[in-house]
Amino acid sequence: MSDEHRCVELTRSRHRIGQWLLLSFVLIWFFILILTPLIGIIKETFSQGIEAVKNSLTTPASMHAFWLTLVITASAVVLNTLFGTILAVVLARQNFKGKLFLESLLDLPFAVSPIVAGFMFILLFGPRGWIGNWFSSLNIKIIYAFPGMLIATLFVTLPFVAREVLPVLREFGPEQEETASTLGASQWQTFWRVTLPSIKWGMAYGVTLTIARSIGEFGAVLVVSGSIINKTQTATLRIHDQFTDFNYAGAFSAALLLAAFSFFLLNIIQCIYKKKGSAST
Amino acid sequence: MSGIRVESVTKKFGDFVAVDDVSFAVEEGELVALLGPSGSGKSTILRIVAGLETQDHGHVYLTGEDVTSLSPQKRKIGFVFQHYALFKHMTVEKNIAFGLEIRKKNKTQIKKKIAELIDLVKLNGYEKHYPSQLSGGQRQRVALARALAPEPKVLLLDEPFGSLDAKVRKNLAKWIRQLHDRIRVTSIFVTHDQSEAMEIADKIIVVNRGRVEQIGNASEVYEHPKSKFVASFVGNVNVINGRTYVSHIAIEGTEGRISQKTEDVPEDQDIVLLVRPEEVVIEETASKDSSIPAVIEEIHYRGSFYEVDLRIGANDIKSFVQKERYKSNPWTVGEHVFVLFTQFKVFEASEGHQAIHRMLKQLGYIE
């Protein structure tokens, strides 16, 4: 009896040691990969004092870069929320040939490297590209200008809203919408009163992901923008630029600002995730 | 004037003919069941009547008006789904008000109507609840109240009790019948449950493979089935293999015969006999009428009657025996007896036979 008891105790303590080891491993890994870089950024940022941080963040070039990031992000969010929702509704509610192909195409921006995407757009919209050629005859510049950067950002953030809304729409099925129509609601009324309230948390989640990605996008935007100071330089491009110029204080303070914002977004995402979960049960 | 008239409606999904030249009429104020196995096209027919599906051919008339080209919004119907399809983000009250708000009724009117319907579906006190806080039966009653709110010309119910458990289902079915007797709105409900259909419908439309097999009231459909399918689908039935001769019907695997000619099928044909279990009478001795020898295999007590499983040659059949009859002279398992069929139907053993057998197995009528 006591032997058996001891055996149980032993297994339990072994189990406890196992759990402890696992936890320590996770914590150490987390520390090395996430916390140390963050501490590094903070330390480096404030190494030349708070005044230097303030100065580097408020130079016209930095201000312009932040402003540009803001404008591109806002535009991408509006356009991709609209387009992503329409796309999700079409994919969830309509049957047509090539639907599966279209749906797999939706994931392309996830699979293609942003740099490759950027070059793709240069080929297409550049002064010698077949669409760019036509635009330049109208005196509209796309590559190395705002439209190109927006297109690149739209491309890399395309799937977020659509991918979040699509499963929600599929899960809640067409029956509520059909009921609304038998009760006399037009398609528009049905969308606003029935569909939208059901997908809003999915949309919100997709929007937050879109914001995070738009702000952080580097590769595709770098290729199509040319990173011209005060013209086509976004916040991430500005960080890169300052870093290669050995302006570490400037680079790190901007980086810290972006990291702080991302952290804030992360919290919002967590909140939405909880809401989304409770809304679907 | 009829409440609902469907005229040679056909609907294909790709190559699959879901609804094949279906016509029927529902009189004003009737409660009609569309009865059929799953995949028989019954739900599609209902959705076509509602305008949720567009037919390839044919016409739909509601209270005499041709609504074939009208959208569901304009057909003035109420539709209830199997899974309720309540608006999850709205309270009971708001769900019921939906159709009225869309039609821009004024607030006092809406309030009055909600109170009336809450009363009707007995959900007093639940006005501010959300669908997730209600039981299945309550949800279905909300769905019904919501459908009735705009005072539809017809009410269409798609497997309305399909996702409820047996007891709730029975009660709700009975309640729907009572409700219908009160409000008398022309209604069609889709079901695969023949007992449900027989219990509450004024008229049953039996559907199979996209076609209407028979239209009639419960007793007509049960006692005078027009096809093998109807006979086997509506109610319990024994399927017995046999063959017709000039003056009698032989039963496979036994000397037993039915000394009776059948007009339904010519002689020298393989046939199937369909006999309801309550039409199988067991006798201890052979008589002029009951010369089919059988062996008792199992006896089950079923509450109000006894179910006796018998073997006749190569066929396993069931007999439902009245309690009093059984108790007056109980049989034992293994006993040799004779059976006679007080009523039966003969159909040719054509290709359809296999399909019926499969279906009966699925439904659990035969092993």
Side-chain angles (χ1 to χ4, degrees):
Chain A
M1 192 69 182
S2 70
D3 263 8
E4 205 175 287
H5 190 73
R6 215 165 29 193
C7 197
V8 169
E9 274 294 294
L10 206 68
T11 343
R12 261 194 208 147
S13 64
R14 261 193 206 147
H15 189 66
R16 234 175 274 146
I17 292 170
Q19 278 185 330
W20 187 83
L21 273 174
L22 211 60
L23 180 66
S24 334
F25 173 72
V26 168
L27 287 179
I28 290 167
W29 192 255
F30 194 77
F31 185 78
I32 295 173
L33 235 74
I34 295 174
L35 279 181
T36 35
L38 198 65
I39 293 168
I41 290 183
I42 295 173
K43 197 171 156 266
E44 203 56 51
T45 307
F46 295 105
S47 63
Q48 287 165 40
I50 194 121
E51 206 54 31
V53 173
K54 219 172 120 190
N55 287 340
S56 71
L57 284 178
T58 49
T59 59
S62 291
M63 294 289 274
H64 184 270
F66 281 120
W67 173 245
L68 192 59
T69 292
L70 185 75
V71 172
I72 288 179
T73 301
S75 319
V77 163
V78 170
L79 290 172
N80 265 344
T81 303
L82 210 70
F83 181 70
T85 307
I86 295 171
L87 192 65
V89 168
V90 167
L91 284 175
R93 294 289 183 263
Q94 291 185 24
N95 275 314
F96 52 91
K97 267 193 184 144
K99 185 167 127 170
L100 271 178
F101 179 66
L102 187 68
E103 205 181 323
S104 65
L105 223 54
L106 180 58
D107 288 332
L108 197 70
F110 281 156
V112 172
S113 157
I115 300 239
V116 175
F119 281 119
M120 217 163 64
F121 287 122
I122 288 200
L123 282 178
L124 208 61
F125 294 109
R128 277 183 228 144
W130 17 293
I131 300 178
N133 207 353
W134 183 75
F135 274 110
S136 61
S137 73
L138 294 172
N139 246 334
I140 298 169
K141 222 174 135 190
I142 293 184
I143 295 302
Y144 306 129
F146 180 80
M149 298 165 75
L150 181 59
I151 290 170
T153 310
L154 282 175
F155 177 83
V156 295
T157 58
L158 167 72
F160 291 112
V161 171
R163 270 281 165 233
E164 288 303 320
V165 172
L166 190 58
V168 183
L169 272 176
R170 286 210 167 118
E171 198 210 316
F172 109 107
E175 290 191 348
Q176 290 184 35
E177 291 158 7
E178 288 179 341
T179 305
S181 77
T182 64
L183 289 167
S186 66
Q187 280 189 322
W188 194 237
Q189 284 171 317
T190 302
F191 180 78
W192 282 107
R193 286 167 171 253
V194 177
T195 314
L196 195 61
S198 310
I199 59 172
K200 64 179 176 200
W201 290 118
M203 266 168 90
Y205 194 55
V207 164
T208 338
L209 293 174
T210 305
I211 295 174
R213 183 65 200 264
S214 301
I215 289 174
E217 181 49 35
F218 177 74
V221 172
L222 175 69
V223 175
V224 296
S225 71
S227 190
I228 308 160
I229 295 180
N230 278 329
K231 275 199 173 144
T232 62
Q233 199 169 57
T234 62
T236 47
L237 298 182
R238 174 91 191 133
I239 293 168
H240 178 246
D241 205 26
Q242 287 175 318
F243 186 78
T244 46
D245 276 353
F246 307 105
N247 179 0
Y248 292 138
F252 285 122
S253 44
L256 187 64
L257 194 65
L258 287 193
F261 188 74
S262 299
F263 187 71
F264 169 71
L265 270 185
L266 215 67
N267 280 303
I268 292 182
I269 288 177
Q270 285 297 324
C271 286
I272 294 175
Y273 209 71
K274 274 182 201 147
K275 283 264 187 193
K276 217 175 90 177
S278 64
S280 67
T281 49
Chain B
M1 185 176 62
S2 67
I4 302 165
R5 197 148 56 88
V6 170
E7 234 176 56
S8 6
V9 161
T10 298
K11 171 79 183 174
K12 283 184 197 162
F13 293 112
D15 289 334
F16 176 69
V17 186
V19 180
D20 190 359
D21 195 24
V22 162
S23 301
F24 62 83
V26 177
E27 298 306 318
E28 195 147 6
E30 260 187 331
L31 174 60
V32 167
L34 261 177
L35 174 67
S38 58
S40 60
K42 56 192 192 302
S43 285
T44 309
I45 296 172
L46 197 76
R47 289 173 63 84
I48 287 171
V49 174
L52 292 171
E53 211 79 66
T54 318
Q55 67 272 42
D56 301 330
H57 302 288
H59 290 265
V60 177
Y61 300 87
L62 299 180
T63 56
E65 186 194 350
D66 187 349
V67 297
T68 310
S69 56
L70 288 187
S71 65
Q73 284 90 343
K74 296 194 175 125
R75 292 196 183 190
K76 296 191 186 118
I77 47 149
F79 200 97
V80 174
F81 282 96
Q82 176 180 358
H83 300 290
Y84 331 118
L86 294 180
F87 305 132
K88 275 196 233 163
H89 57 284
M90 295 183 202
T91 58
V92 167
E93 213 171 44
K94 278 278 165 197
N95 263 284
I96 299 173
F98 188 87
L100 301 167
E101 283 174 357
I102 290 290
R103 287 184 170 86
K104 303 246 186 304
K105 296 271 191 269
N106 74 47
K107 283 214 169 108
T108 40
Q109 260 180 310
I110 294 179
K111 263 202 163 150
K112 211 180 122 210
K113 192 79 197 170
I114 292 174
E116 200 183 299
L117 284 162
I118 289 273
D119 241 15
L120 188 74
V121 299
K122 295 182 200 145
L123 282 168
N124 308 71
Y126 289 95
E127 291 87 344
K128 306 277 183 225
H129 282 55
Y130 282 90
S132 58
Q133 299 166 301
L134 303 177
S135 73
Q138 289 171 330
R139 286 182 204 187
Q140 196 57 294
R141 282 176 0 233
V142 176
L144 197 68
R146 179 180 62 181
L148 289 172
E151 294 174 1
K153 288 194 281 190
V154 302
L155 185 62
L156 306 168
L157 308 130
D158 192 1
E159 297 262 6
F161 322 113
S163 34
L164 300 170
D165 58 64
K167 208 179 150 197
V168 181
R169 192 183 173 121
K170 262 227 141 77
N171 286 335
L172 195 64
K174 236 180 249 165
W175 177 78
I176 288 243
R177 177 70 244 188
Q178 288 162 3
L179 184 75
H180 184 265
D181 289 340
R182 270 176 67 189
I183 58 175
R184 285 273 153 211
V185 56
T186 313
S187 311
I188 302 181
F189 76 99
V190 158
T191 181
H192 62 269
D193 183 336
Q194 40 97 10
S195 64
E196 199 173 276
M198 294 209 288
E199 202 179 313
I200 69 173
D202 295 316
K203 196 161 82 183
I204 299 173
I205 301 171
V206 187
V207 185
N208 181 36
R209 294 195 192 168
R211 288 180 156 274
V212 171
E213 295 264 343
Q214 188 168 358
I215 301 176
N217 63 32
S219 72
E220 281 166 2
V221 170
Y222 190 77
E223 284 161 34
H224 307 289
K226 277 190 188 156
S227 69
K228 207 155 53 167
F229 173 81
V230 175
S232 53
F233 188 69
V234 181
N236 282 311
V237 75
N238 290 304
V239 183
I240 301 164
N241 297 313
R243 194 172 169 81
T244 51
Y245 290 97
V246 182
S247 61
H248 70 274
I249 299 167
I251 289 169
E252 200 179 286
T254 165
E255 297 291 297
R257 54 173 58 182
I258 298 168
S259 318
Q260 195 180 328
K261 261 187 75 163
T262 170
E263 266 94 60
D264 300 341
V265 177
E267 61 214 50
D268 286 328
Q269 289 274 341
D270 283 330
I271 50 127
V272 276
L273 267 147
L274 297 185
V275 191
R276 300 219 181 274
E278 56 270 30
E279 309 287 1
V280 178
V281 175
I282 306 171
E283 303 280 351
E284 281 77 23
T285 51
S287 65
K288 188 167 97 353
D289 300 322
S290 62
S291 59
I292 307 165
V295 182
I296 293 186
E297 299 216 299
E298 272 173 64
I299 300 168
H300 304 279
Y301 177 59
R302 290 279 183 247
S304 55
F305 63 92
Y306 280 85
E307 181 191 316
V308 180
D309 294 354
L310 301 139
R311 172 165 281 269
I312 311 176
N315 302 282
D316 285 314
I317 67 162
K318 284 181 202 310
S319 169
F320 292 164
V321 183
Q322 296 283 312
K323 227 178 186 161
E324 296 74 33
R325 165 69 191 83
Y326 179 79
K327 280 189 175 154
S328 69
N329 191 5
W331 303 287
T332 50
V333 173
E335 195 175 330
H336 288 260
V337 291
F338 295 89
V339 294
L340 85 99
F341 306 139
T342 48
Q343 206 182 4
F344 59 89
K345 277 259 168 188
V346 174
F347 295 97
E348 268 181 65
S350 49
E351 7 74 61
H353 181 212
Q354 301 287 324
I356 287 195
H357 230 88
R358 255 201 316 277
M359 194 196 71
L360 289 171
K361 262 189 189 158
Q362 273 173 12
L363 291 168
Y365 293 153
I366 55 173
E367 273 89 48

